Amino acid sequence: MATILPSPPRVGMVSLGCPKNLVDSERILTQLRSDGYQMSPDYAGADVVLVNTCGFLDSAKEESLDAIGEAIAENGRVIVTGCMGKEADVIRARFPGVLAITGAHEYEQVVGAVREAAPMPPSAFLNLVPDAGLKLTPRHYSYLKISEGCNHRCSFCIIPSLRGDLVSRRPDAILREAEKLVAAGTKELLVISQDTSAYGIDIRREPRMWKGQEVIPHMTDLARELGKIAPWVRLHYVYPYPHVDQVIPLMAEGLILPYLDIPFQHAAPEVLRRMKRPGNDAKVLQRIHNWRKIAPDITIRSTFVVGFPGETEADFQYLLDWLDEAQLDRVGAFRFEPVEGAAANLLPDHVPEEIKEERYARLMERTAAISTAKLAAKVGRTLDVIIDAVGDGGATGRSQADAPEIDGEVFLRDAGHLDLGDIVPVLIEDADEHDLYGVPA
């Protein structure tokens, strides 16, 4: 007689915020799938819905609260996790029906809350989890988190209060995960953390064996080993400490992508002092020039804050002049926004909103002009491109200078024969201020 197994509970997930949150969501779903839970793509089919929140800015908190409200309205059975878990009283005041609230990267607690809210039937025993775990990104690229938390106390940031101090993962564990991801189809590893440059400073005296040799927990050593595993390795959230210079030769050798995501945040010395920014090196412009001598194709992306308390017109002009000299390839900007609990809120001389808007517009106009010129210089070159989408005879991909979601894209004609994840040479035929256009070479 055939045994009919009862249907296991189904879990829905809404994941907000940064790629670090996305990795947390993947880990939670992987554990739940290992337990036998099924995943639901919509509210209607879910027995319980997880909302992984972001709490970095007040606007992000409001987006998280909106998502919780939508999940409650559409499903009714909601568990909240992530950065806003530190503000459980705020969440419960607005949504008293939330089943449970846990903090960022509290994997055991959130999985335990799901087990309590939607228990597994005793006979559900199937385990269908791939070695690489469950992913929320396309098969061909994956985020690889190398540490949690941050030791810095930037005046505008509350991440340490949300995620704690730096805790680095063992290098052998990271490399083992990278191998599994690549074996499962990953072509591009995007290395993330709160402070990638600081990786290993808490466990520097604990080298681990990997492939018969010791690997030191240090950004340079880790990047070198990752470059032996994946075709593309991209470094994000890199503070410009002096030892960052050591990874540039790895880019010149082709071991890792010639790409650095460095959150400079500003350039004016007085603003950086008020921000309490780490790695405030007066010679950073010279270092950027030196990096380009070693790896001429290096792409540097960054983010900046305009309208920080006390920012004068002279400070802002200093930033514009600095950008003209630095010639960064990709730039994002934010208007300063007070975040509850941030030390910057108590600083004097807050900048009026209309001045923030005016400065933001000027900065984006300046950086768009730089980007347009840099992309125009690529017309006529042949660049390697990883394919993200194919359809209607064309394809969309990214060059080595483009991270997913945050940078530009390469639009290809006559490319319907390509597959997702292919890395192909592309002749660049045209460009605008953000994107490139070309044809497979």
Side-chain angles (χ1 to χ4, degrees):
M1 175 182 286
T3 300
I4 300 176
L5 297 175
S7 298
R10 298 175 67 84
V11 179
M13 168 70 85
V14 178
S15 186
L16 303 173
C18 65
K20 293 175 282 295
N21 250 24
L22 190 73
V23 172
D24 290 345
S25 296
E26 290 176 341
R27 289 181 179 176
I28 292 166
L29 292 180
T30 296
Q31 181 58 58
L32 291 172
R33 191 68 185 91
S34 295
D35 289 350
Y37 286 88
Q38 296 290 325
M39 303 299 121
S40 173
D42 52 40
Y43 292 120
D47 294 285
V48 64
V49 176
L50 295 175
V51 180
N52 192 358
T53 58
C54 177
F56 183 58
L57 297 172
D58 287 349
S59 55
K61 293 180 184 179
E62 197 58 40
E63 181 185 7
S64 295
L65 291 171
D66 288 344
I68 296 168
E70 179 180 316
I72 288 177
E74 296 291 333
N75 182 278
R77 296 176 55 77
V78 176
I79 293 170
V80 177
T81 187
C83 293
M84 270 204 77
K86 292 281 187 179
E87 301 185 46
D89 54 338
V90 174
I91 296 170
R92 290 207 180 278
R94 188 180 297 193
F95 307 110
V98 166
L99 299 177
I101 301 173
T102 72
H105 56 83
E106 293 181 351
Y107 311 120
E108 293 182 7
Q109 292 90 325
V110 70
V111 170
V114 172
R115 290 169 181 161
E116 183 175 341
M120 285 291 298
S123 56
F125 56 84
L126 296 178
N127 183 340
L128 300 175
V129 178
D131 285 344
L134 298 187
K135 295 173 76 264
L136 297 174
T137 56
R139 183 169 179 258
H140 59 280
Y141 68 81
S142 301
Y143 292 102
L144 182 64
K145 188 189 288 189
I146 63 174
S147 65
E148 296 282 3
C150 183
N151 287 344
H152 301 297
R153 298 298 183 264
C154 300
S155 62
F156 57 83
C157 182
I158 59 171
I159 289 297
S161 67
L162 297 175
R163 292 182 172 263
D165 289 335
L166 176 75
V167 179
S168 300
R169 296 178 61 196
R170 291 170 42 164
D172 55 328
I174 296 170
L175 296 170
R176 192 174 300 112
E177 180 181 351
E179 278 199 333
K180 289 181 178 180
L181 289 169
V182 171
T186 291
K187 301 289 185 65
E188 177 182 13
L189 290 172
L190 299 113
V191 178
I192 59 171
S193 65
Q194 292 300 139
D195 180 359
T196 295
S197 312
Y199 169 72
I201 63 172
D202 54 327
I203 55 170
R204 188 65 56 81
R205 297 180 183 178
E206 301 175 27
R208 298 287 178 170
M209 295 302 297
W210 175 255
K211 305 292 186 183
Q213 64 180 24
E214 281 192 344
V215 177
I216 298 171
H218 183 273
M219 181 180 70
T220 306
D221 298 78
L222 182 66
R224 182 183 296 110
E225 295 304 318
L226 288 172
K228 300 174 184 177
I229 295 173
W232 282 16
V233 175
R234 190 183 300 276
L235 300 181
H236 285 280
Y237 314 122
V238 177
Y239 287 89
Y241 304 136
H243 69 260
V244 172
D245 297 352
Q246 300 170 18
V247 304
I248 309 303
L250 302 182
M251 298 175 183
E253 295 169 24
L255 269 178
I256 63 175
L257 294 183
Y259 180 101
L260 281 179
D261 179 356
I262 301 179
F264 288 115
Q265 307 296 14
H266 214 282
E270 180 58 25
V271 177
L272 289 170
R273 185 189 66 79
R274 287 177 171 231
M275 287 180 168
K276 297 185 178 179
R277 289 293 289 165
N280 179 12
D281 183 355
K283 297 181 179 179
V284 70
L285 281 174
Q286 183 57 51
R287 292 174 63 210
I288 289 174
H289 293 317
N290 290 340
W291 295 345
R292 287 176 172 146
K293 290 177 182 177
I294 298 170
D297 283 335
I298 189 171
T299 294
I300 303 174
R301 92 169 313 275
S302 190
T303 52
F304 295 88
V305 176
V306 298
F308 191 78
E311 182 191 60
T312 64
E313 178 60 28
D315 291 328
F316 182 70
Q317 187 59 50
Y318 187 105
L319 172 58
L320 293 181
D321 294 342
W322 189 92
L323 286 168
D324 283 339
E325 177 71 18
Q327 290 288 296
L328 303 185
D329 301 83
R330 301 292 191 186
V331 171
F334 301 91
R335 308 156 190 83
F336 173 75
E337 179 182 323
V339 179
E340 185 177 351
N345 301 349
L346 303 177
L347 291 173
D349 303 321
H350 280 241
V351 178
E353 292 300 321
E354 61 271 18
I355 295 180
K356 289 182 191 177
E357 290 295 333
E358 186 266 343
R359 290 177 181 172
Y360 173 82
R362 287 162 62 194
L363 186 143
M364 296 311 295
E365 181 180 7
R366 184 70 58 91
T367 57
I370 293 171
S371 175
T372 299
K374 279 184 162 284
L375 292 178
K378 296 183 179 183
V379 174
R381 294 184 58 188
T382 297
L383 305 176
D384 284 342
V385 170
I386 189 167
I387 303 302
D388 289 333
V390 179
D392 297 328
T396 303
R398 291 173 290 106
S399 73
Q400 294 185 351
D402 302 303
E405 306 294 336
I406 57 175
D407 292 326
E409 295 179 306
V410 183
F411 297 98
L412 283 69
R413 63 178 179 85
D414 301 333
H417 61 286
L418 299 175
D419 293 319
L420 299 187
D422 283 350
I423 298 176
V424 296
V426 172
L427 174 63
I428 303 303
E429 301 176 312
D430 200 2
D432 57 29
E433 71 178 47
H434 296 299
D435 303 311
L436 297 171
Y437 302 82
V439 63

